[in-house]
């Protein structure tokens, strides 16, 4: 973490630190990081360099010193920040191998993931890691898009990401999920312990996958009112499954009806996208499974949340009665997801910092379209195609630059404080320059005749002049 009173100072700080690190190859990156974070004031202009080894950090420092932008440089400033919300992604965002790099590199993430697999694997057709971490292109890898595995994998990855941020001292003010993401939110808020959460996740995935076939879902670039008007001629064949923004609506229902509806919007020049799901979730296609789902989860123990959770059913804060009711979680499967309402609710509660814990930056893109004001910070812990330790580090750095105070001993375990180069003051010369050919001539320095009737008069002083 580096900061200064202006951008030139930040670049100069980076240049000094780069030279120091080159001259002291024995200096530990963790020692340097801890010392900068705990012994320096966080000034108005801020930046962080992120890397997974010494070479990456040195490269990013050099780029910052030269004023360049790169994936290894995170910038920030001293602006007022509000509350923080963690976003938990839903089905459709899954991808093969998500979380694998963190599983190999982060003991906290790996321990959480293993504990979840220990609870889930006996309830799944195959062990979760065999599916999620299967070689690309293999038969097992293709199973990730089967609902029973998709929902379990999203729950495991998102929960483990949360535990990683939590272990570093970063805990949000609110949680908001999207469909299966709200189940994860309920567990993270303490509504369900891990064992019961895994039971609910497994039953939910199994039953939603067993729903009647022939369903499809699609995202349409249209408002909810526009879509509902268009659905008037489709009866119950298609329903609104989610409202993700002012012009982002998801429809769900019979595959042929969804295709006809989507084709009509495409003819109008609207963007549409079929979602990679196996069934028509959040639609009448789920009616046949809700009673069995209630029965399957009625024996679980539900508790009051310790972190407020925004409801995917009401679009406002979920009540204790809702979160602790099996019937609520059945409605959660069947009814449309008013995600946009939930975002606007959180904005009204003073949330300015948004962190998505999921496979990619899916929900943060939706949030930006829902807000009345510009977001303070939109960050995603993982990005498709990017190094997972790198993106997690960048998300943590962005939170720190915005004013969050992590547990630095957890961020840099075992590190010690060391002496580093002092602040790179931006010096300016204030001496007045006189003419070289007449060094005794003060007129060039601004000294001139006063041209004042009193100051220019001849004055006689009484004691000195004999009066």
């Amino acid at each position: 973490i580096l900061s200064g009173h202006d951008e030139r100072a930040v670049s100069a700080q980076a240049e000094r630190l780069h030279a120091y690190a080159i001259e002291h190859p024995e200096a530990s990156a963790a020692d340097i990081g801890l010392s900068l974070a705990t012994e320096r004031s966080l000034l108005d202009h801020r930046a962080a360099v992120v890397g997974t080894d010494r070479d990456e950090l040195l490269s990013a420092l050099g780029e910052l010193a030269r004023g360049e932008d790169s994936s290894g440089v995170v910038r920030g400033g001293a602006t007022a920040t509000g509350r923080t919300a963690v976003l938990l992604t839903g089905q459709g965002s899954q991808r093969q191998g998500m979380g694998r790099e963190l599983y190999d590199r982060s003991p906290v993430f790996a321990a959480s993931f293993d504990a979840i697999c220990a609870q889930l694997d006996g309830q799944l057709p195959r062990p979760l890691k065999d599916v999620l971490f299967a070689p690309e292109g293999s038969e097992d890898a293709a199973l990730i898009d089967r609902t029973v595995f998709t929902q379990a994998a999203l729950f495991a990855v998102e929960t483990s990401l949360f535990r990683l941020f939590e272990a570093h001292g970063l805990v949000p003010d609110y949680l908001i999920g999207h469909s299966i993401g709200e189940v994860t939110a309920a567990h993270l808020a303490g509504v369900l312990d891990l064992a019961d959460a895994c039971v609910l996740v497994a039953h939910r995935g199994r039953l939603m996958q067993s729903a009647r076939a022939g369903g499809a879902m699609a995202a349409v670039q249209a408002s909810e009112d526009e879509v509902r008007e268009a659905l008037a001629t489709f009866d119950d064949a298609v329903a609104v499954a989610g409202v993700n923004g002012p012009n982002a609506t998801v429809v769900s229902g019979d595959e042929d009806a969804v295709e006809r509806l989507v084709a009509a919007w495409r003819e109008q020049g609207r963007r549409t996208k079929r979602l990679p799901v196996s069934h028509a979730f959040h639609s009448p296609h789920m009616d046949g499974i809700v009673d069995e789902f209630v029965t399957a989860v009625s024996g679980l123990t539900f508790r009051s949340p310790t972190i407020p959770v925004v409801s995917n059913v009401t679009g406002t804060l979920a009540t204790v009665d809702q979160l602790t009711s099996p019937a609520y979680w059945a409605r959660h499967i069947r009814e449309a997801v008013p995600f946009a309402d939930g975002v606007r609710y959180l904005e009204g509660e003073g949330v300015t910092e948004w962190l998505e814990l999921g496979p990619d930056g899916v929900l943060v893109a939706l949030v930006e379209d829902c807000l009345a004001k510009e977001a303070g910070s939109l960050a995603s812990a993982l990005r498709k195609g990017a190094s997972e330790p790198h993106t997690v580090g960048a998300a943590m750095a962005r939170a720190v630059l915005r004013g969050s105070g992590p547990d630095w001993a957890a961020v840099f375990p075992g590190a010690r404080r060391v002496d580093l180069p002092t602040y790179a003051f931006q010096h300016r010369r204030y001496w007045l320059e006189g003419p070289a050919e007449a060094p005794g001539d003060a007129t060039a320095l601004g000294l001139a005749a006063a041209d004042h009737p009193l100051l220019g008069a001849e004055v006689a002083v009484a004691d000195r002049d004999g009066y």
Side-chain angles (χ1 to χ4, degrees), residues 178 217-220 222 227 239-244 248-252 275 281 336:
H178 198 294
M217 300 180 72
V220 179
V227 172
V240 171
V243 181
N244 292 332
T249 305
V250 177
V251 295
S252 180
L275 302 185
F281 306 131

Side-chain angles (χ1 to χ4, degrees), residues 96-97 100 128-142:
Q96 180 60 29
R100 179 58 189 263
L128 182 58
K129 275 188 280 193
D130 288 356
V131 173
L132 184 55
F133 298 159
E136 189 174 354
S138 66
E139 290 185 12
D140 281 352

Side-chain angles (χ1 to χ4, degrees), residues 58-365:
L58 277 173
S59 176
L61 265 179
E63 290 159 344
L64 180 59
R66 295 187 295 272
E68 299 171 359
D69 288 323
S70 74
S71 61
V73 175
V74 181
R75 297 184 183 274
T79 56
T81 59
R83 294 174 173 175
T84 299
V86 155
L87 309 152
L88 299 150
T89 327
Q91 195 165 346
S93 64
Q94 71 274 4
R95 55 183 170 82
Q96 180 60 29
M98 58 184 180
R100 179 58 189 263
E101 287 182 85
L102 285 177
Y103 184 83
D104 291 339
R105 295 286 295 269
S106 168
V108 173
F109 184 96
S112 172
F113 198 91
D114 285 342
I116 294 167
C117 289
Q119 296 290 337
L120 274 175
D121 283 352
Q123 305 176 68
L124 300 177
R126 298 286 303 277
L128 182 58
K129 275 188 280 193
D130 288 356
V131 173
L132 184 55
F133 298 159
E136 189 174 354
S138 66
E139 290 185 12
D140 281 352
L143 296 175
I144 189 61
D145 289 327
R146 289 185 61 189
T147 298
V148 65
F149 291 113
T150 302
Q151 296 194 10
L154 288 170
F155 173 79
V157 170
E158 292 170 7
T159 297
S160 300
L161 279 170
F162 185 90
R163 296 305 178 207
L164 180 56
F165 278 81
E166 182 183 54
H168 289 77
L170 298 172
V171 179
D173 299 294
Y174 294 94
L175 297 166
I176 177 171
H178 198 294
S179 194
I180 182 63
E182 187 176 338
V183 177
T184 306
H187 165 58
L188 299 176
V191 174
L192 291 160
D193 66 17
L194 182 58
D196 281 353
C198 288
V199 170
L200 190 150
V201 168
H203 281 306
R204 191 180 193 272
R206 174 181 61 81
L207 290 171
M208 291 175 75
Q209 184 173 295
S210 72
R212 62 185 169 104
M217 300 180 72
V220 179
Q221 184 193 17
S223 69
E224 180 184 7
D225 289 343
E226 287 179 302
V227 172
R228 289 195 182 280
E229 184 178 352
L231 291 180
T233 60
F234 283 83
D235 297 324
D236 289 335
V238 187
V240 171
V243 181
N244 292 332
N247 287 293
T249 305
V250 177
V251 295
S252 180
D254 297 348
E255 185 171 15
D256 59 342
V258 170
E259 281 294 343
R260 292 200 311 273
L261 182 68
V262 166
W265 286 113
R266 278 199 300 264
E267 289 176 4
Q268 297 182 32
R270 306 290 186 97
R271 292 194 303 272
T272 64
K273 180 183 179 182
R274 276 285 298 266
L275 302 185
V277 294
S278 57
H279 293 74
F281 306 131
H282 303 285
S283 81
H285 279 230
M286 298 293 107
D287 288 342
I289 68 165
V290 291
D291 289 342
E292 186 177 352
F293 178 80
V294 170
T295 301
V297 302
S298 289
L300 304 182
T301 301
F302 297 89
R303 304 170 182 83
S304 298
T306 56
I307 303 173
V309 177
V310 174
S311 169
N312 280 178
V313 174
T314 64
T316 60
L317 205 64
T319 66
V320 174
D321 287 345
Q322 288 170 335
L323 292 175
T324 56
S325 166
Y328 169 82
W329 294 107
R331 289 178 61 200
H332 192 266
I333 292 172
R334 168 63 178 84
E335 297 186 16
V337 177
F339 181 74
D341 287 344
V343 171
R344 286 189 284 264
Y345 171 82
L346 288 175
E347 184 179 26
E349 292 297 300
V351 170
T352 62
E353 316 303 301
W354 308 83
L355 172 63
E356 181 170 358
L357 303 183
D360 204 353
V362 176
L363 298 183
V364 287

